[in-house]
Amino acid sequence: MDDAILLEARDFVQSEWPRVLADLDTLVRIDSHEDLAHAASGAPFGPGPRAALDAATQMMAGYGFDMHDCEGHCGYFDIPGASAKQLGIIGHLDVVPAGDGWTREPFALTREGEILFGRGVTDDKGPFLMGIHALRFWRDRYVGEGREFPVNVRVIFGCSEETGMADADYYLEHYEAPDFLFTPDADFPLCYGEKGQFQVRVTSQTLAGGVIAAIQGGTAPNGVPSSAEAVVRCAATSLPATDRIVVDDEWDPALVDGDLCSNYGGLARIRATGVSGHAAMPEGSVNAIDILAAYLLDNNLCDADERKWLEFVRCITAVTDGTGLGLACEDADFGPLTCVGGMARTEGDRFSQTIDVRFPTATNLPELHARTTALAAEIGATVEVINEVEPLLVSPDSAEVAALRDAYEQVTGLEARLFTMGGGTYAHHFPVGVSFGAMDEDRFPTPEGVGGMHAADEGVQEECLRQALLIYIVALGNLFALEW
């Protein structure tokens, strides 16, 4: 890229940064997690994603972009160009629930030194805004020079990325896919492949009348839960507290029929605390459901059928490489399979447990189905698919990928080492797409006490986002310079 344009881009980042942060604060203040219980016409994913889409629509109008509303599933705006082809940018406005463990307000942008805190600053409101403001740089520049864009550009605002990407499914049912697309929803330098995903819910046979009255843990299938609790038919005073376990009798009446307590000398609540994390990157996390299940087993707080269920749950939650279920494998591109149990629930007289597997090419969906279904059947349980997709690998040698790779190198001066990952992004849904930034752990590692994606105290170094904005400006310039 021309040095004069790069200097102009740096000046843009400097001058526009207060506006960028104001926009980020506006979006972070909206609790936009999916809430299907309150879904409505025009708000298929609940009021939070709807509010975020409305706020983004108003924000984009202020910049002269006319948002089209796809019945609340997603939104988009276009910038027409000379070529009939289309370049796409897609990000998402929805977030995972805040969960427990926050020491700052999750739904406000808080700056502490060099760190910005708030749900969505890394996943994906912050990175997505960097891509949009980078596009603003080029729109203003082309308008100022009286030129049109060399290619049509479409920016797509997703609203259910965190819960299965039904928004992307809706979009592709109604619109043609862009000729090339990138999503600012991962890490730099560039991801050329994504593990397959096998996400299911296992439901037990009838387990009514045992020792366990209720179990509840986790807030999303694709996260390692930091908290879980059980209500058991036992006097709280008879149970020991241990590391990461608190026992009391302050159980929620909504979870269980309190009339049963007299038959067991009372009801006790057992609360487990773990360390949250993303299902695609579970290293360093501690699964609260596993801690809870182990405590119930160790203290014989279960009947025979409940014991079989808890032992099955621990096959999922005790390790994160799938060993417990006999799924462990790896390959050269993706490395090892990961397996996480994200949500535990009592549903009527049955228990349920989700499983989130991110898998390499060394296995496949039919094998995962067969193994999981067979193990569940041994204890009378059934398996329901939540989401599934085979692994994705794309060629790193295309002109578009080279344009993005070069942008990272031009801005940072570092070699761009392309990679694969276990996380699933919108790129997996589109025929020709990659994930590109905005996090950069090599240059801006997450400091101690700062949470990552999906974790409590989600935060990012401010300079990481500033770098991303500059890289996206350069990357778009490189893409516009291609033959479309």
Side-chain angles (χ1 to χ4, degrees):
M1 172 169 285
D2 186 284
D3 288 343
I5 297 178
L6 186 56
L7 180 60
E8 186 179 341
R10 292 184 187 277
D11 289 342
F12 176 87
V13 174
Q14 182 66 27
S15 63
E16 291 297 304
W17 194 245
R19 188 194 305 265
V20 173
L21 289 185
D23 288 347
L24 182 55
D25 182 59
T26 296
L27 293 182
V28 169
R29 287 182 180 277
I30 300 169
D31 180 357
S32 51
H33 76 275
E34 181 179 272
D35 180 8
L36 296 182
H38 296 93
S41 177
F45 309 118
R50 176 71 258 177
L53 186 58
D54 288 340
T57 298
Q58 183 177 359
M59 187 184 296
M60 293 305 104
Y63 293 125
F65 300 125
D66 183 19
M67 183 86 82
H68 296 264
D69 189 335
C70 304
E71 299 181 341
H73 292 84
C74 55
Y76 70 86
F77 71 76
D78 290 325
I79 300 178
S83 170
K85 292 187 176 181
Q86 187 182 76
L87 167 66
I89 304 172
I90 184 170
H92 65 92
L93 300 170
D94 63 307
V95 295
V96 297
D100 300 322
W102 285 79
T103 61
R104 290 94 175 168
E105 167 56 45
F107 299 110
L109 186 65
T110 303
R111 180 195 274 117
E112 294 184 11
E114 299 177 349
I115 308 298
L116 298 173
F117 290 96
R119 178 59 90 215
V121 294
T122 65
D123 187 20
D124 178 44
K125 293 174 179 179
F128 190 25
L129 277 172
M130 300 308 111
I132 293 168
H133 282 280
L135 190 60
R136 277 187 57 228
F137 170 88
W138 286 105
R139 190 278 309 272
D140 294 349
R141 200 170 194 278
Y142 275 106
V143 169
E145 296 175 352
R147 296 190 295 151
E148 68 176 334
F149 271 43
V151 62
N152 294 297
V153 177
R154 173 163 290 186
V155 180
I156 306 168
F157 294 70
C159 293
S160 79
E161 191 273 348
E162 297 290 3
T163 51
M165 304 187 201
D167 50 352
D169 293 334
Y170 177 95
Y171 182 87
L172 291 171
E173 288 172 4
H174 293 82
Y175 304 95
E176 293 292 329
D179 293 276
F180 178 77
L181 170 144
F182 75 85
T183 180
D185 190 20
D187 298 287
F188 286 125
L190 184 140
C191 177
Y192 71 93
E194 298 180 4
K195 283 182 177 177
Q197 294 186 36
F198 177 66
Q199 194 177 80
V200 298
R201 179 180 294 103
V202 182
T203 302
S204 74
Q205 63 179 327
T206 299
L207 295 177
V211 181
I212 303 170
I215 286 182
Q216 182 169 283
T219 57
N222 62 347
V224 180
S226 62
S227 64
E229 66 178 74
V231 178
V232 296
R233 297 176 177 119
C234 178
T237 54
S238 67
L239 300 177
T242 64
D243 184 38
R244 296 188 177 275
I245 290 287
V246 174
V247 180
D248 58 43
D249 58 4
E250 298 177 0
W251 46 273
D252 184 352
L255 290 179
V256 64
D257 184 357
D259 291 339
L260 296 174
C261 68
S262 59
N263 296 329
Y264 297 89
L267 294 178
R269 178 177 66 164
I270 303 166
R271 291 179 292 161
T273 300
V275 178
S276 62
H278 196 292
M281 301 162 283
E283 299 82 5
S285 63
V286 179
N287 195 318
I289 294 172
D290 185 65
I291 296 170
L292 179 64
Y295 182 90
L296 295 173
L297 287 167
D298 290 345
N299 289 276
N300 201 32
L301 295 169
C302 51
D303 64 18
D305 288 336
E306 291 170 337
R307 176 169 290 276
K308 291 179 182 178
W309 172 256
L310 293 173
E311 289 173 345
F312 174 76
V313 168
R314 293 216 67 207
C315 287
I316 303 163
T317 59
V319 292
T320 60
D321 64 356
T323 302
L325 296 175
L327 304 178
C329 63
E330 60 183 290
D331 69 11
D333 285 301
F334 290 112
L337 173 150
T338 62
C339 177
V340 161
M343 293 178 66
R345 293 289 185 271
T346 305
E347 302 178 357
D349 56 4
R350 300 174 187 269
F351 297 166
S352 70
Q353 174 65 55
T354 64
I355 308 175
D356 187 309
V357 175
R358 310 296 170 105
F359 63 97
T361 57
T363 187
N364 55 54
L365 289 174
E367 291 180 4
L368 296 171
H369 271 287
R371 178 63 179 168
T372 306
T373 301
L375 290 175
E378 291 179 3
I379 59 169
T382 57
V383 177
E384 170 196 1
V385 174
I386 301 173
N387 181 49
E388 60 180 11
V389 61
E390 293 284 5
L392 171 70
L393 281 171
V394 300
S395 171
D397 299 324
S398 72
E400 293 86 359
V401 169
L404 302 183
R405 180 196 66 215
D406 291 349
Y408 180 83
E409 294 182 344
Q410 288 162 350
V411 171
T412 67
L414 302 175
E415 178 185 359
R417 299 185 302 275
L418 307 189
F419 63 94
T420 64
M421 68 176 183
T425 72
Y426 285 124
H428 219 136
H429 270 62
F430 289 81
V432 186
V434 298
S435 54
F436 181 53
M439 299 300 101
D440 192 343
E441 282 292 321
D442 288 339
R443 301 199 74 204
F444 303 102
T446 303
E448 185 176 353
V450 178
M453 296 180 182
H454 294 198
D457 286 335
E458 178 182 346
V460 62
Q461 293 190 51
E462 187 171 356
E463 191 58 32
C464 182
L465 290 182
R466 289 172 64 96
Q467 172 188 273
L469 175 51
L470 184 59
I471 290 173
Y472 290 141
I473 291 174
V474 175
L476 287 170
N478 290 348
L479 288 170
F480 294 151
L482 299 178
E483 291 293 331
W484 291 93

